[in-house]
């Protein structure tokens, strides 16, 4: 357990939802009462977000999601900070909780195979496995898994085109994908299965869960992990790295790069 005062919770679940306006109102009331800040996205396909607050408030939010709103398979991860990484609370209604631009893709019923951290280390060393990073350039520039293929996309909407122009179901028999927290991989793996890729794996809980569960001496991760809050990036111990962010292009900058601007 960290001694830091702020708990940062990253969470998602693909699950059919109705009554989004009511759910939004309930969550807004709970978060405001307990001074929770960050962003929650709601759509008919589920929930996604990262929020931060005191231990009591975050625990109450998690319990409310899992029990009252029946997110019984909530993918949930915590990290910690001495300062609040968000300025305000935002709860938004969206068409997708992670935007791929393919509304007929349903990860709730057709996602790939989950792989935990120990299995992942073995899997990505198999020469027959094509390891694919589903993140964008501003994320992959500062860290990735060893020998991963980097798509050089600027937006997750670009990922389907990368797959269509680069990969072949007949040639690439085994695909192993990863992303920051796991949500993009669930949608990407469902898309790839629909496109004819039969054996598709994805890292359960994403990079953040991998870093939490894997001793650094056994890690296949190199560099830092971009996160979508004021920390910008975290190291292998999930502590904030020494980056700031260019809010024009979203790329993380070292202190020297920021000084040279």
């Amino acid at each position: 357990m960290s001694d830091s005062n702020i708990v940062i919770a990253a969470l998602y679940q693909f699950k059919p939802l109705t009554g989004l306006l009511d759910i939004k109102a309930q969550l807004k009331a709970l978060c405001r009462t307990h001074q929770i800040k960050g962003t929650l996205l709601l759509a008919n396909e589920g929930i996604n977000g990262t929020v931060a607050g005191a231990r009591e408030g975050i625990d109450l939010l998690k319990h409310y999601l899992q029990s009252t709103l029946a997110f019984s398979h909530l993918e949930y991860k915590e990290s910690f900070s001495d300062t609040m990484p968000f300025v305000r609370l935002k709860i938004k209604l969206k068409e997708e909780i992670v935007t791929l631009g393919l509304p007929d893709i349903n990860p709730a019923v057709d996602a790939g195979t989950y792989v935990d951290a120990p299995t992942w280390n073995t899997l990505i060393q198999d020469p027959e496995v094509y390891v694919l990073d589903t993140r964008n350039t501003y994320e992959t520039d500062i860290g990735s898994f060893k020998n991963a293929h980097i798509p050089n996309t600027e937006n997750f909407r670009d990922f389907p085109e990368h797959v269509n122009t680069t990969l072949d179901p007949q040639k690439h028999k085994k695909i192993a994908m990863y992303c920051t927290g796991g949500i993009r991989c669930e949608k990407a793996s469902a898309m790839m299965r629909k496109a004819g890729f039969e054996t598709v794996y994805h890292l359960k809980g994403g990079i953040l869960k991998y870093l939490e569960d894997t001793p650094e001496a056994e890690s296949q991760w190199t560099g830092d992990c971009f996160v979508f809050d004021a920390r910008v990036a975290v190291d292998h111990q999930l502590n904030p790295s020494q980056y700031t962010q260019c809010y024009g292009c979203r790329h993380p900058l070292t202190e020297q790069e920021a000084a040279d601007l």
Side-chain angles (χ1 to χ4, degrees), residues 78-186:
E78 289 185 352
S79 54
F80 305 90
S81 176
D82 293 324
T83 58
M84 171 58 73
F86 300 108
V87 176
R88 62 182 66 86
L89 172 69
K90 295 183 286 186
I91 302 180
K92 300 180 178 180
L93 303 185
K94 307 284 283 185
E95 291 295 321
E96 301 177 75
I97 56 174
V98 57
T99 304
L100 185 62
L102 299 173
D104 59 330
I105 298 299
N106 187 355
V109 299
D110 201 27
T113 301
Y114 285 123
V115 176
D116 62 13
T119 306
W120 180 259
N121 273 359
T122 302
L123 180 68
I124 66 175
Q125 294 179 65
D126 183 341
E128 295 184 358
V129 173
Y130 187 94
V131 184
L132 179 59
D133 195 318
T134 67
R135 300 173 304 150
N136 300 314
T137 303
Y138 59 86
E139 301 167 81
T140 59
D141 279 350
I142 63 169
S144 63
F145 280 103
K146 297 174 183 178
N147 302 317
H149 294 270
I150 307 300
N152 294 317
T153 54
E154 294 298 324
N155 189 290
F156 191 45
R157 283 179 175 270
D158 300 332
F159 185 76
E161 182 179 359
H162 173 79
V163 171
N164 291 337
T165 58
T166 306
L167 303 181
D168 181 348
Q170 301 304 314
K171 178 181 177 181
H172 302 96
K173 300 291 188 179
K174 298 178 182 179
I175 308 287
M177 296 187 296
Y178 65 91
C179 57
T180 307
I183 186 170
R184 279 178 282 185
C185 284
E186 289 212 32

Side-chain angles (χ1 to χ4, degrees), residues 9-246:
L11 56 93
Y12 77 88
Q13 184 181 334
F14 286 99
K15 170 191 169 180
L17 290 183
T18 57
L20 295 181
L21 286 173
D22 287 341
I23 294 173
K24 177 180 178 179
Q26 294 167 36
L27 292 175
K28 182 179 290 187
L30 189 154
C31 289
R32 285 183 171 172
T33 297
H34 296 283
Q35 298 181 311
I36 295 171
K37 298 180 181 179
T39 299
L40 292 172
L41 305 180
L42 297 168
N44 293 127
E45 66 179 6
I47 189 170
N48 176 30
T50 304
V51 292
R55 173 86 273 166
E56 180 184 8
I58 295 297
D59 285 348
L60 286 170
L61 174 62
K62 181 183 180 184
H63 179 75
Y64 191 84
L65 289 170
Q66 292 178 323
S67 57
T68 304
L69 296 181
F71 285 102
S72 56
H73 298 288
L74 191 69
E75 183 64 44
Y76 180 89
K77 294 172 290 297
E78 289 185 352
S79 54
F80 305 90
S81 176
D82 293 324
T83 58
M84 171 58 73
F86 300 108
V87 176
R88 62 182 66 86
L89 172 69
K90 295 183 286 186
I91 302 180
K92 300 180 178 180
L93 303 185
K94 307 284 283 185
E95 291 295 321
E96 301 177 75
I97 56 174
V98 57
T99 304
L100 185 62
L102 299 173
D104 59 330
I105 298 299
N106 187 355
V109 299
D110 201 27
T113 301
Y114 285 123
V115 176
D116 62 13
T119 306
W120 180 259
N121 273 359
T122 302
L123 180 68
I124 66 175
Q125 294 179 65
D126 183 341
E128 295 184 358
V129 173
Y130 187 94
V131 184
L132 179 59
D133 195 318
T134 67
R135 300 173 304 150
N136 300 314
T137 303
Y138 59 86
E139 301 167 81
T140 59
D141 279 350
I142 63 169
S144 63
F145 280 103
K146 297 174 183 178
N147 302 317
H149 294 270
I150 307 300
N152 294 317
T153 54
E154 294 298 324
N155 189 290
F156 191 45
R157 283 179 175 270
D158 300 332
F159 185 76
E161 182 179 359
H162 173 79
V163 171
N164 291 337
T165 58
T166 306
L167 303 181
D168 181 348
Q170 301 304 314
K171 178 181 177 181
H172 302 96
K173 300 291 188 179
K174 298 178 182 179
I175 308 287
M177 296 187 296
Y178 65 91
C179 57
T180 307
I183 186 170
R184 279 178 282 185
C185 284
E186 289 212 32
K187 185 160 276 194
S189 67
M191 179 207 80
M192 294 185 73
R193 282 173 56 81
K194 189 170 183 177
F197 294 87
E198 293 186 6
T199 305
V200 184
Y201 303 98
H202 53 101
L203 179 59
K204 183 172 175 59
I207 302 161
L208 295 177
K209 185 63 175 173
Y210 178 90
L211 298 180
E212 179 183 333
D213 291 347
T214 308
E216 191 165 2
E218 301 173 13
S219 179
Q220 295 295 306
W221 176 261
T222 59
D224 295 314
C225 178
F226 184 94
V227 292
F228 296 86
D229 58 57
R231 295 172 296 169
V232 182
V234 296
D235 62 19
H236 206 289
Q237 287 71 44
L238 298 176
N239 295 317
S241 303
Q242 298 302 309
Y243 287 96
T244 58
Q245 186 176 18
C246 173

